[in-house]
Amino acid sequence: MASRSGGEILVANLLAQRATHAFGVPGESYLAVLDALHDVRERLPFIVCRHEGGAAYMAEAYGKLTGRPGIAFVTRGPGASNAAVGIHTATQDASPMIVFVGQVGTDMVDREAFQEIDYRRMYGSVAKWAAQIDRAERIPEYVAHAYRLAMSGRPGPVVLALPEDMLTTRVDVADAPFVEAIAATPAAADVRAAEALLRNARRPLVLVGGSRWTDEARAALRAFAEHSNLPVACAFRHQDLFDHRHPNYAGDVGIGSNPTLLARVRDADVLLVIGERLGETTTSGYSLLDVPVPRQALIHVHPGADELGRVYQPALAIAATPGAFLAAIDAASARSPHTPDLAARAHDEYERWRAPRAVPGAVDLWQIVRWLDETLPDDAILTNGAGNYATWVHRLYRYGGKRRQLAPYSGSMGYGVPSAVAAKLVHPQRTVISWNGDGCFLMNGQELATAAQYALPIVFVVIDNGMYGTIRMHQERNYPGRVSGTDLINPDFAQLARAYGAHGETVVATTEFAPAFERAVASQRPSLLHVRIDPQALTMNARLDDLRAQGMARTRE
Ligand SMILES: Cc1ncc(C[n+]2csc(CCOP(=O)(O)OP(=O)(O)O)c2C)c(N)n1
Ligand SMILES: [Mg+2]
């Protein structure tokens, strides 16, 4: 075998793992990798980004969408620091990702050479694994291990540092084989026990979330719901696991959720939780279930054994992937003792929660999102970041079936733009809509340039209320009338989009949205709709002035 450089070996091993895209910002620290990528640019394109935060978010979104690690390349200290937001998101969202970071040569390591950081310490507590490849002949071993680790158990990000001299060293070594996630299957006795608990339940509820879901697992969930007649709720920002149009769909359990559904979780006698780790957002700040022993008989199914019993001691702890568990329990269940009424009531409550209400101002997001829901294709991908503007799609848009949701469980702003870029690259034929707040958009809006560079016809929507509205909402509740650090003076977003070479339009009335959206799609270019809403429409339930009045009343008490 002819000897190869570390850079060439690394790229060959990414191809052996069937990587299809690498996202990054270049640095002189890993020129040897960029050079090796030149030879395979058709098979493994390097998507050049404008900020490592954008690149890392793209890799995270790729992992969320495909179940295989998204790959990001960033340079030493500054690049690694900029990438942090995507690494943290991959951890909280349990998304498989591998971030390769340039590192100073082994000849000058530990002198605090130019941009040097020890990434093992920097990312030791955030990433699932942070390591450094010191010898080129060990690249295949590290890459294969990183892939398996990123995907297995509870998935997460791996950070691998690449000393510059290691990447140029030439050695003879064979590539590692293609690896898959470790399967985790339930014990037959546990499945029977779960089945018995559900059979004897009076108020059962299924709650799904987390990662490691496949199309087959989603189909198995649907079949199980139909055979068992159980209502199914989706956890915060994992709404695409179950079709919202299905008569068993009960709604989402997260922030701004239907109070009747939260009561349903609280009052359940048996709660079957599949894949979701039961984090703060899904449990209304750890209030829906008692810590450490819930009143509900909790059947907790999670692919990562470490997550079972972490906060809640379950009646049954089952370390299994969602698909393996669902296949097993569906096969084990005989006829359901439950009638469809239970699920039908839950679905009815969900439908009522979506029913339109009056909204202040000329732009009615209720109507706009319901129109999008009716109009978008069945396989559309909708992305968003964090902010009150996201509650509109969470509550009104019907995810599931083939529709996908890319949204940060970590509650991190700036996700909507880069995740949409990754989605359109992975699925060029599918409609991709990026839903952003004015604050959120400008956190990674520079990746509009990436969408333009790769001619990706994504529709970016910016919901502009002239503020960091979510924080303003908390201010009005807790410190009414004392606006501090939340007002925004914004650019003309439509003009900004046009400067990037995108199609840009401004929407100031409800009726303008649909034709503007259709022109945006027809442009076949990246496009941006700047939707200016009334600042009074601060939440879906209350006007800004009402929140302030309530805050005043509460703080007077
Ligand atoms: C990276 C990051 N920084 C800060 C926050 C805190 N935060 C949560 S929502 C929010 C405001 C979002 O503003 P915008 O996108 O305009 O949405 P709006 O709430 O106004 O609808 C802020 C600052 C966060 N979640 N993530
Ligand atoms: Mg805003």
Side-chain angles (χ1 to χ4, degrees):
M1 194 189 313
S3 74
R4 298 177 294 177
S5 74
E8 288 165 341
I9 296 165
L10 178 57
V11 168
N13 278 274
L14 292 178
L15 286 171
Q17 299 304 331
R18 302 180 202 157
T20 60
H21 297 81
F23 304 92
V25 175
E28 68 274 34
S29 56
Y30 65 94
L31 288 174
V33 178
L34 289 169
D35 185 65
L37 283 166
H38 180 77
D39 290 331
V40 297
R41 57 194 179 278
E42 301 294 330
R43 285 171 67 199
L44 179 51
F46 181 84
I47 306 301
V48 54
C49 301
R50 305 309 173 105
H51 188 289
E52 290 86 351
Y57 269 150
M58 287 180 206
E60 191 279 344
Y62 178 103
K64 207 174 247 166
L65 210 48
T66 66
R68 304 274 307 167
I71 303 298
F73 279 98
V74 302
T75 195
R76 294 178 288 218
S81 303
N82 273 351
V85 73
I87 296 170
H88 177 255
T89 300
T91 294
Q92 287 234 308
D93 288 46
S95 302
M97 164 159 107
I98 305 173
V99 180
F100 292 98
V101 188
Q103 176 60 302
V104 303
T106 51
D107 52 335
M108 51 183 77
V109 72
D110 285 336
R111 289 178 181 162
E112 200 198 322
F114 184 57
Q115 303 180 335
E116 181 184 354
I117 296 179
D118 183 342
Y119 305 107
R120 290 168 292 215
R121 285 166 62 206
M122 180 181 185
Y123 282 118
S125 66
V126 184
K128 197 169 173 187
W129 185 43
Q132 180 163 309
I133 312 179
D134 283 328
R135 298 175 67 88
E137 56 270 41
R138 293 188 63 192
I139 291 173
E141 170 195 335
Y142 273 90
V143 172
H145 181 47
Y147 261 82
R148 211 187 285 274
L149 197 66
M151 293 186 289
S152 298
R154 172 181 165 169
V158 170
V159 175
L160 289 179
L162 308 170
E164 202 174 325
D165 53 337
M166 182 280 292
L167 287 175
T168 51
T169 305
R170 301 189 77 86
V171 294
D172 280 336
V173 65
D175 296 337
F178 180 75
V179 300
E180 293 191 75
I182 309 286
T185 48
D190 285 343
V191 176
R192 279 196 300 277
E195 216 265 320
L197 276 171
L198 289 167
R199 172 170 297 277
N200 296 319
R202 300 196 41 224
R203 296 177 308 281
L205 181 68
V206 182
L207 175 62
V208 295
S211 65
R212 298 210 57 187
W213 287 83
T214 58
D215 288 345
E216 293 72 35
R218 285 184 176 81
L221 174 62
R222 190 185 174 109
F224 172 64
E226 286 168 3
H227 297 156
S228 65
N229 287 330
L230 296 178
V232 178
C234 292
F236 183 60
R237 294 188 173 157
H238 288 104
Q239 291 174 251
D240 59 1
L241 298 177
F242 195 72
D243 194 335
H244 293 18
R245 284 166 266 214
H246 193 282
N248 291 46
Y249 182 62
D252 70 299
V253 181
I255 296 173
S257 293
N258 187 349
T260 64
L261 176 58
L262 299 181
R264 200 172 272 284
V265 179
R266 212 177 284 117
D267 298 341
D269 57 349
V270 178
L271 196 56
L272 170 58
V273 176
I274 309 172
E276 166 62 27
R277 71 180 171 91
L278 294 172
E280 181 185 345
T281 41
T282 311
T283 58
S284 301
Y286 302 104
S287 71
L288 286 182
L289 287 78
D290 290 346
V291 181
V293 184
R295 272 174 294 119
Q296 306 88 334
L298 174 65
I299 307 167
H300 199 177
V301 182
H302 197 284
D306 291 356
E307 298 303 323
L308 297 167
R310 181 173 182 169
V311 182
Y312 302 105
Q313 297 309 318
L316 255 180
I318 301 179
T321 58
F325 173 77
L326 282 159
I329 194 161
D330 200 31
S333 307
R335 269 175 50 125
S336 171
H338 303 289
T339 64
D341 307 5
L342 180 71
R345 274 199 304 280
H347 188 69
D348 192 49
E349 285 163 10
Y350 160 70
E351 280 298 346
R352 262 183 281 156
W353 183 238
R354 289 183 75 236
R357 298 192 194 170
V359 171
V363 172
D364 182 347
L365 285 180
W366 218 292
Q367 287 187 48
I368 287 174
V369 177
R370 285 186 65 112
W371 179 84
L372 274 174
D373 174 61
E374 298 290 340
T375 309
L376 291 181
D378 275 346
D379 64 350
I381 301 169
L382 182 61
T383 75
N384 64 262
N388 275 6
Y389 72 89
T391 58
W392 298 87
V393 284
H394 290 173
R395 179 157 159 190
L396 304 179
Y397 185 76
R398 287 176 297 179
Y399 297 94
K402 288 198 174 114
R403 282 184 174 178
R404 293 296 308 265
Q405 175 185 41
L406 289 179
Y409 187 82
S410 70
S412 190
M413 288 171 71
Y415 186 77
V417 172
S419 57
V421 170
K424 195 68 187 171
L425 284 164
V426 174
H427 292 295
Q429 304 309 325
R430 289 168 73 167
T431 300
V432 178
I433 310 294
S434 167
W435 186 258
N436 308 275
D438 48 339
C440 220
F441 179 80
L442 279 179
M443 279 213 182
N444 274 299
Q446 78 284 344
E447 302 307 337
L448 196 51
T450 311
Q453 179 157 346
Y454 294 94
L456 303 174
I458 299 161
V459 183
F460 298 93
V461 182
V462 179
I463 306 298
D464 181 1
N465 56 3
M467 58 177 133
Y468 287 128
T470 311
I471 312 307
R472 174 73 176 271
M473 169 183 77
H474 291 299
Q475 277 177 345
E476 296 294 356
R477 280 181 182 154
N478 297 295
Y479 302 94
R482 294 173 60 81
V483 180
S484 179
T486 48
D487 273 346
L488 296 174
I489 294 177
N490 283 318
D492 176 337
F493 287 104
Q495 219 177 310
L496 182 71
R498 290 194 285 272
Y500 276 107
H503 174 90
E505 295 204 35
T506 305
V507 172
V508 294
T510 309
T511 50
E512 291 176 5
F513 186 84
F517 184 86
E518 271 150 17
R519 283 190 296 273
V521 172
S523 77
Q524 297 183 326
R525 285 188 286 152
S527 55
L528 186 149
L529 301 180
H530 177 195
V531 181
R532 299 178 62 165
I533 67 166
D534 190 324
Q536 284 297 327
L538 185 55
T539 79
M540 293 185 77
N541 302 317
R543 299 161 56 92
L544 193 161
D545 288 346
D546 298 342
L547 283 176
R548 180 173 295 184
Q550 287 161 16
M552 297 269 186
R554 206 174 33 244
T555 49
R556 264 200 305 270
E557 273 165 16

